[in-house]
Amino acid sequence: MDLELKDLKDAEVFNLMNDMVYITDLESHEILFANDAVHRFLGSPENLLGMTCSVLTLGEEQHCGKCPAETLGAMRETRCYNPLLKRFIYAKTRIISLGGKPVQLVVSFDISNIEQEKQELATALQAQEVLVSSIRLLHETTDINHAYDRILKNVGEDLSADRTYTFILKKGLFYNTHEWCAQGIESRKEVRCVVAPQLIKRWLPIFKENKCVVLEDISALRSTHPEEYNLLHTQNIRTYIAAPIHHHDKVAGFIGVDNPPLEKMKNIAPLLLSLAYYISARRIMLEHTAMLESMSYQDRMTGAGNRNAFIRTTGQLERSFSGHSIGIAYFDLNGLKEINDTHGHKYGDKAIIAFARLLHDTFPPEAIFRIGGDEFVVLCIDESEAHLKEKISHIKENLRKNSPFSVSIGVAWENKPKSIRALIEQADQRMYTEKESFHKFGK
């Protein structure tokens, strides 16, 4: 699959790159996004958005007519002199998806000093491919640990390094969570599984500024920072670079690369910072996803599953649990409206919470659902009818002795039911029958 960005917010990672990156509309050819490097080159970015891509390729507001077909993954390369930038530009274009719509992603390189740039250009292009594949892995895989392993392997091989790895801060210490080693290089993960912050205290201010620690020759540290030198020297490290991983604007770890060749070190920092940014973004996204998952399927007031969770679970039961015994218990608090009218909604909420606590003391938490203001349902799987009735009797007795309110209850149980929906409706109807009796006779 090709690179896909959900929206222009995702494109902000390219602000970490030193090369010009911009995204253009395939139909109007207008510039939709330009990274900070573009703004630095132009010096006056105020009117950039809305102009056509030819400004950044030919230096004039004129469509060149060379856009590739609107096919995801389509690519092209151009070399030209841009009089606006006063530089020779090499641009690589790829058709990607932005919110489901095909657009152009253009990465432009300054190749004015052609001889010097030849090797750097090749390295930068490789880094771009590593970055693109890494972003794809982070966005598409459901196994985040597998993604980290693949990314470290890609980076290590691209940089011809000995090792690449991640350290993540947990309870005040940096733990080596993932590692890749080149062929013939011994793993150090078990040896250096934990690093205390004081051993790398010189790095932390650099990390806080979102910069890489770059060591082209660790022997220079022998007299100035002996602890740091010993830490690296004992691991046979000669050259080294590390990029910070942030989480909510705090240093949460780092990506490390052991013994990259000197000729490749110049272009390592942007790549590692970009990867670190996306790893951080992925961590935050997983955190938000877990929070949204909880909010989507959990009733915040009682801790029970909500209606969405109930619908999801019953749907799963319909598809998967036809060979099991299933019991359904419907509960509806009696007189909650009167409680709210007499004592206020806070008192009514306390009653709901108290009853939910009683359910949690009686049934597993995953079996309890609040499907309405004062309605709860409990789903009991592979539990005997007698055991379910015993629990219902316990709840009734507890309410009779300790609660100022009562509850209407409807119970249905069946071994290997043909229809979960029919069983639920049966319990629901029995609850309403008891509810009608309460309103008619007050009991």
Side-chain angles (χ1 to χ4, degrees):
M1 297 180 68
D2 292 285
L3 177 63
E4 178 177 1
L5 302 177
K6 293 182 180 179
D7 52 41
L8 290 177
K9 184 72 175 174
D10 282 352
E12 292 180 1
V13 67
F14 295 115
N15 286 327
L16 298 173
M17 296 183 67
N18 291 328
D19 302 300
M20 293 186 295
V21 181
Y22 54 96
I23 298 174
T24 64
D25 188 284
L26 278 173
E27 297 178 357
S28 67
H29 313 293
E30 290 183 350
I31 298 170
L32 304 174
F33 167 84
N35 72 345
D36 291 343
V38 174
H39 296 164
R40 288 196 299 270
F41 273 101
L42 289 177
S44 178
E46 291 81 10
N47 298 320
L48 181 60
L49 297 182
M51 299 178 71
T52 66
C53 54
S54 297
V55 172
L56 297 178
T57 53
L58 304 177
E60 55 184 347
E61 185 74 13
Q62 175 184 335
H63 177 47
C64 62
K66 297 181 180 179
C67 291
E70 296 185 13
T71 304
L72 288 179
M75 299 177 63
R76 68 182 176 95
E77 301 174 359
T78 57
R79 295 173 186 251
C80 63
Y81 178 74
N82 188 316
L84 179 64
L85 302 177
K86 297 180 180 179
R87 288 174 171 86
F88 285 96
I89 296 298
Y90 171 90
K92 189 168 184 179
T93 302
R94 176 182 292 220
I95 303 301
I96 67 169
S97 175
L98 175 63
K101 178 182 178 182
V103 295
Q104 283 192 116
L105 171 67
V106 183
V107 182
S108 294
F109 307 91
D110 179 8
I111 56 170
S112 299
N113 192 343
I114 296 176
E115 293 301 321
Q116 181 181 352
E117 290 288 325
K118 281 184 179 179
Q119 183 58 44
E120 293 180 8
L121 178 60
T123 304
L125 287 173
Q126 291 172 4
Q128 183 212 346
E129 293 300 324
V130 172
L131 177 61
V132 168
S133 64
S134 299
I135 293 172
R136 185 186 304 130
L137 279 168
L138 287 169
H139 274 281
E140 294 176 0
T141 186
T142 56
D143 186 347
I144 196 65
N145 290 312
H146 175 68
Y148 289 162
D149 291 337
R150 286 279 305 277
I151 289 170
L152 292 176
K153 179 177 184 292
N154 292 343
V155 171
E157 291 179 345
D158 180 66
L159 299 178
S160 303
D162 284 354
R163 300 182 195 87
T164 53
Y165 41 83
T166 56
F167 274 83
I168 299 299
L169 185 64
K170 299 177 182 177
K171 297 181 179 179
L173 296 171
F174 289 99
Y175 288 83
N176 188 183
T177 57
H178 299 82
E179 180 192 58
W180 169 87
C181 295
Q183 188 173 2
I185 301 299
E186 183 180 356
S187 171
R188 304 288 298 181
K189 187 175 180 182
E190 297 303 323
V191 178
R192 60 176 181 193
C193 58
V194 179
V195 172
Q198 56 265 31
L199 289 177
I200 55 172
K201 59 184 178 182
R202 189 179 67 87
W203 301 4
L204 298 180
I206 301 173
F207 285 164
K208 288 179 180 179
E209 294 180 4
N210 198 37
K211 295 179 181 179
C212 288
V213 172
V214 181
L215 303 174
E216 296 184 356
D217 183 359
I218 71 158
S219 62
L221 301 172
R222 185 180 297 159
S223 58
T224 58
H225 300 87
E227 287 188 354
E228 184 179 328
Y229 171 79
N230 290 332
L231 175 68
L232 300 174
H233 180 68
T234 54
Q235 299 175 48
N236 299 317
I237 296 174
R238 301 174 300 279
T239 60
Y240 184 77
I241 187 167
I245 298 172
H246 287 90
H247 192 65
H248 298 301
D249 298 324
K250 294 183 178 180
V251 176
F254 60 91
I255 304 172
V257 181
D258 290 356
N259 299 326
L262 286 174
E263 63 270 16
K264 291 194 174 187
M265 290 192 73
K266 182 177 179 180
N267 289 307
I268 296 178
L271 168 63
L272 291 184
L273 288 172
S274 298
L275 289 177
Y277 175 91
Y278 255 93
I279 287 173
S280 174
R282 179 63 167 165
R283 283 164 57 89
I284 293 173
M285 186 174 74
L286 290 174
E287 181 182 275
H288 288 175
T289 299
M291 185 183 301
L292 289 173
E293 176 82 7
S294 175
M295 292 174 63
S296 297
Y297 293 103
Q298 187 179 58
D299 177 57
R300 297 182 66 181
M301 188 170 77
T302 64
N306 61 14
R307 179 173 287 275
N308 291 336
F310 179 68
I311 293 172
R312 181 182 65 174
T313 303
T314 53
Q316 293 171 343
L317 286 173
E318 284 283 6
R319 294 187 295 271
S320 308
F321 284 82
S322 58
H324 297 251
S325 66
I326 296 179
I328 312 291
Y330 250 91
F331 302 88
D332 191 305
L333 275 68
N334 293 324
L336 185 64
K337 183 179 183 302
E338 290 76 10
I339 293 174
N340 288 332
D341 291 344
T342 304
H343 302 285
H345 285 274
K346 287 186 178 180
Y347 190 88
D349 289 345
K350 288 181 179 180
I352 293 172
I353 294 170
F355 179 67
R357 189 177 299 117
L358 176 59
L359 290 179
H360 278 281
D361 290 340
T362 310
F363 298 98
E366 65 274 10
I368 306 166
F369 304 88
R370 182 188 180 197
I371 62 170
D374 56 358
E375 292 185 51
F376 290 83
V377 177
V378 172
L379 303 178
C380 297
I381 301 169
D382 285 336
E383 189 170 291
S384 69
E385 184 176 15
H387 192 47
L388 174 59
K389 288 183 176 180
E390 181 181 336
K391 288 184 175 181
I392 298 299
S393 296
H394 166 75
I395 288 176
K396 289 181 176 179
E397 183 65 14
N398 189 290
L399 290 173
R400 186 182 66 81
K401 291 181 178 180
N402 305 312
S403 178
F405 58 86
S406 64
V407 176
S408 296
I409 305 174
V411 180
W413 183 93
E414 190 172 337
N415 187 34
K416 299 180 181 179
K418 294 182 179 179
S419 171
I420 305 298
R421 188 177 299 277
L423 194 65
I424 293 172
E425 290 177 354
Q426 184 180 356
D428 187 23
Q429 184 57 49
R430 289 174 178 174
M431 183 273 292
Y432 272 105
T433 299
E434 188 169 305
K435 191 79 170 177
E436 289 176 355
S437 176
F438 171 81
H439 285 299
K440 185 174 182 180
F441 303 107
K443 61 178 181 177

